Amino acid sequence: MAKAIPRTGSRRNVRIGLRKSTRRISKGVIHVQASFNNTIIAVTDVRGRVVSWSSAGTCGFTGTRRGTPFAAQTAAAVAIRAGMDQGMQRAEVMIKGPGLGRDAALRAIRRSGILLTFVRDVTPMPHNGCRPPKKRRV
């Protein structure tokens, strides 16, 4: 029987958490995407690298309850807590989408104790949009 050669540095043996160092950030950007069915919160550094994220779905809400303001508030609290653990004190907020969770998420962000430098609505608006398809029958 041939002797098994031990692999060094294989992904299976090395804990990924040991390689990945936590980035300390003082200023971050909080992105809120509020659709009618879900609310997604992403906390990034100023360069756009994601520090932590959360959504109403990952917080345990299912079905139509994911689109509720309370689900958005819970998701925002979870995402921001992870950001604050990495040293975030100030943040910019970018809110996108028409959902019910917009105001609730913003309220949760304000209550968390993070200093907000500005809040911006970045919902995409068409400037009269794409050209519609031609009529099928005349």
Side-chain angles (χ1 to χ4, degrees):
M1 228 12 228
K3 191 176 177 185
I5 301 166
R7 284 190 195 167
T8 55
S10 72
R11 278 181 185 245
R12 202 173 32 190
N13 298 336
V14 179
R15 299 281 296 274
I16 290 173
L18 298 174
R19 279 184 300 163
K20 192 173 181 184
S21 61
T22 54
R23 238 181 274 117
R24 303 293 294 171
I25 57 164
S26 59
K27 187 178 181 190
V29 184
I30 301 169
H31 298 271
V32 179
Q33 279 184 284
S35 69
F36 291 118
N37 297 322
N38 202 356
T39 304
I40 303 167
I41 317 285
V43 179
T44 67
D45 60 4
V46 285
R47 288 181 58 189
R49 297 176 296 187
V50 176
V51 174
S52 70
W53 69 276
S54 180
S55 71
T58 58
C59 290
F61 294 93
T62 54
T64 54
R65 287 183 299 186
R66 285 184 312 183
T68 60
F70 177 68
Q73 181 181 316
T74 309
V78 169
I80 289 164
R81 200 174 304 121
M84 287 177 84
D85 290 345
Q86 297 195 14
M88 187 171 71
Q89 292 143 1
R90 292 177 293 136
E92 305 168 355
V93 180
M94 308 287 197
I95 301 178
K96 182 189 284 187
L100 296 170
R102 293 166 56 104
D103 301 332
L106 185 59
R107 218 172 293 127
I109 293 166
R110 283 198 192 278
R111 216 179 301 128
S112 68
I114 288 179
L115 227 73
L116 299 183
T117 50
F118 67 81
V119 178
R120 181 179 289 173
D121 186 11
V122 290
T123 306
M125 288 290 198
H127 296 277
N128 216 8
C130 302
R131 182 175 172 161
K134 68 183 182 73
K135 298 285 179 266
R136 291 178 66 167
R137 288 178 198 87
V138 181

